[in-house]
Amino acid sequence: MSLYLDIHKHFRGFKLDVRLDVGNDTLAILGASGSGKSLTLGCVSGIIKPDEGKINLNDKTIFDSKNNINLPPQQRHTGLMFQNYALFPNMTVRENLCISQKSNAAEIDDMLSKFGLERVKDLYPSQISGGQQQRTALARMLLSRPAILMLDEPFSALDSHLRFQMERELLDVFHNFDGTSILVSHNRDEAFRLCERLAIFNNGHIEVEGKKSEVFANPQTRTAAILTGCKNISRAERTGKGKFFATDWGIELQCNKLDDAVKFIGIRMHSITNEIHNENSFECRVAQVIENPFSFTVMLIPKNARENLRPIGWEIEKSLWHKVKNETVNVCLPPESLLLLRD
Ligand code: ADP
Ligand code: MG
């Protein structure tokens, strides 16, 4: 089970150039609005035609511009779930599930029971909750026996409590599905919980792709660092072997890694510590303290900064902050926690 694609499409003012090779895995796509995520899923499902390229699904060619192959959507057997679920408003829940000709009445009843929809099966989409609409859309997608599951921002219409519940249901769906699954998400935590691999989209192409733990540990680019939730990013200028001057923070940092293409340096807010080492320890002025439900975010300005344009955010447990809080604090940006980033 796999998806391979190498596609190109030009619009006025936007160029999509995407290459992707996924196996029997669950892939999350993270990217800013307008970066080409939905277009890519549209090309796989066949509702959008690339100008050029090739798409193989489970080793079958479904699109190949060179050989004039372009299977219509109904022959591709892709399951694509849209943000608004695209249920038929004039059909009941059960009727919405019946539109797939591949399933019989018993399978439909099975699916209604599996997704807890029996009580609402004769109601119309407008009469059921957001979670029930989403379950109906999921059930309908699975009944079509898709060769691949693709979900385009499936949780954006749900409130946070329901999101978590639906997320767990989706985890089961992905787990039980034999094939490639793709989830477009806006939320890095949700992407991390649900998927094994991660692709970072930026302006029409995939900038970073890999195992989620590796992408989080080493995002490689500024965009990937931002999308995986890194809040502290500064421009960086190399000053020596493994040494960088962080322009926005006004401090020099020692790194363990060497990389010539580094343009930015980042550190996650929770990676900063108050254990002092020889390297990268700084006395800082506390510029602002922000209280979160279970932690504080303390905004710091290094005291000997040459020029400081941006404070550094430090996330610290509440009890620890109560012990160390002061007008100035000593913190360390451990070399092994620094993210070296390309543009
Ligand atoms: P997202 O990553 O938010 O899902 P999309 O894939 O929907 O973004 O769209 C990416 C970009 O492609 C949009 O910013 C838009 O500029 C361009 N685009 C999409 N469809 C069309 C179209 N039919 N005509 C022109 N430009 C389009
Ligand atoms: Mg989209």
Side-chain angles (χ1 to χ4, degrees):
M1 300 296 168
S2 61
L3 172 70
Y4 167 83
L5 59 87
D6 187 354
I7 49 173
H8 313 276
K9 187 165 180 76
H10 286 216
F11 292 107
R12 242 157 58 115
F14 187 79
K15 224 171 106 191
L16 185 78
D17 286 300
V18 176
R19 237 186 65 81
L20 185 62
D21 199 349
V22 220
N24 206 357
D25 273 328
T26 314
L27 172 82
I29 293 179
L30 286 176
S33 216
S35 59
K37 308 179 298 291
S38 298
L39 273 180
T40 302
L41 299 192
C43 289
V44 176
S45 68
I47 51 182
I48 290 161
K49 187 180 171 204
D51 300 335
E52 253 180 66
K54 189 168 178 170
I55 308 175
N56 293 346
L57 179 57
N58 300 341
D59 297 323
K60 182 172 155 192
T61 301
I62 57 175
F63 178 81
D64 185 353
S65 55
K66 280 209 183 86
N67 293 306
N68 257 325
I69 299 172
N70 183 21
L71 292 194
Q74 57 277 18
Q75 283 176 28
R76 296 189 181 198
H77 308 296
T78 59
L80 174 57
M81 189 169 118
F82 297 99
Q83 195 172 324
N84 54 11
Y85 316 136
L87 296 173
F88 293 103
N90 55 339
M91 290 186 185
T92 65
V93 166
R94 195 172 197 289
E95 285 163 356
N96 263 284
L97 299 194
C98 288
I99 58 165
S100 164
Q101 284 125 15
K102 284 187 195 152
S103 37
N104 57 38
E107 283 171 317
I108 289 168
D109 289 336
D110 237 27
M111 210 46 108
L112 285 169
S113 134
K114 193 171 152 203
F115 282 96
L117 293 166
E118 288 145 313
R119 272 189 321 112
V120 298
K121 66 178 193 292
D122 296 319
L123 299 181
Y124 292 90
S126 64
Q127 299 172 314
I128 61 178
S129 72
Q132 288 162 339
Q133 289 175 25
Q134 185 168 68
R135 290 193 193 101
T136 306
L138 271 175
R140 184 177 66 177
M141 180 166 72
L142 293 172
L143 282 168
S144 71
R145 300 210 187 104
I148 181 170
L149 293 183
M150 300 188 289
L151 295 96
D152 198 348
E153 302 191 32
F155 301 114
S156 35
L158 305 178
D159 62 50
S160 69
H161 177 71
L162 197 53
R163 273 177 103 109
F164 186 60
Q165 192 185 330
M166 290 310 300
E167 201 186 292
R168 289 187 300 121
E169 292 188 24
L170 193 56
L171 202 57
D172 283 338
V173 168
F174 284 162
H175 187 78
N176 295 323
F177 181 69
D178 185 23
T180 307
S181 306
I182 299 182
L183 169 80
V184 172
S185 170
H186 250 119
N187 181 309
R188 58 120 205 221
D189 291 351
E190 170 187 298
F192 191 91
R193 286 191 290 263
L194 282 165
C195 298
E196 290 135 9
R197 300 187 73 82
L198 202 55
I200 306 288
F201 268 59
N202 186 12
N203 196 22
H205 68 274
I206 295 181
E207 202 169 83
V208 179
E209 198 273 331
K211 267 173 72 175
K212 66 176 173 191
S213 52
E214 285 165 14
V215 178
F216 270 76
N218 180 19
Q220 297 179 56
T221 69
R222 180 170 173 268
T223 304
I226 292 170
L227 289 170
T228 58
C230 178
K231 300 286 194 302
N232 294 314
I233 296 175
S234 162
R235 286 168 294 157
E237 281 165 15
R238 204 164 156 216
T239 50
K241 200 173 168 195
K243 272 203 171 95
F244 291 91
F245 183 66
T247 321
D248 297 302
W249 304 330
I251 51 176
E252 187 168 68
L253 293 164
Q254 178 70 46
C255 309
N256 289 339
K257 294 154 262 182
L258 289 177
D259 192 337
D260 280 338
V262 173
K263 288 271 167 30
F264 295 90
I265 205 155
I267 186 159
R268 298 190 189 277
M269 293 207 295
H270 64 259
S271 301
I272 294 173
T273 73
N274 69 324
E275 291 154 27
I276 301 307
H277 302 281
N278 294 333
E279 285 170 335
N280 300 350
S281 291
F282 304 94
E283 188 184 10
C284 298
R285 180 169 70 76
V286 173
Q288 195 181 22
V289 179
I290 302 153
E291 184 171 12
N292 303 305
F294 304 107
S295 66
F296 284 102
T297 303
V298 181
M299 303 310 292
L300 303 169
I301 295 181
K303 276 197 112 175
N304 296 323
R306 267 193 254 160
E307 184 196 23
N308 185 286
L309 304 173
R310 206 174 289 167
I312 304 169
W314 176 30
E315 189 171 339
I316 175 169
E317 236 177 78
K318 284 198 168 168
S319 57
L320 186 56
W321 177 243
H322 288 306
K323 274 188 219 147
V324 303
K325 71 175 167 191
N326 213 328
E327 278 164 29
T328 64
V329 288
N330 289 302
V331 296
C332 175
L333 280 58
E336 66 277 8
S337 302
L338 294 173
L339 308 175
L340 301 186
L341 307 167
R342 299 193 304 269
D343 199 1

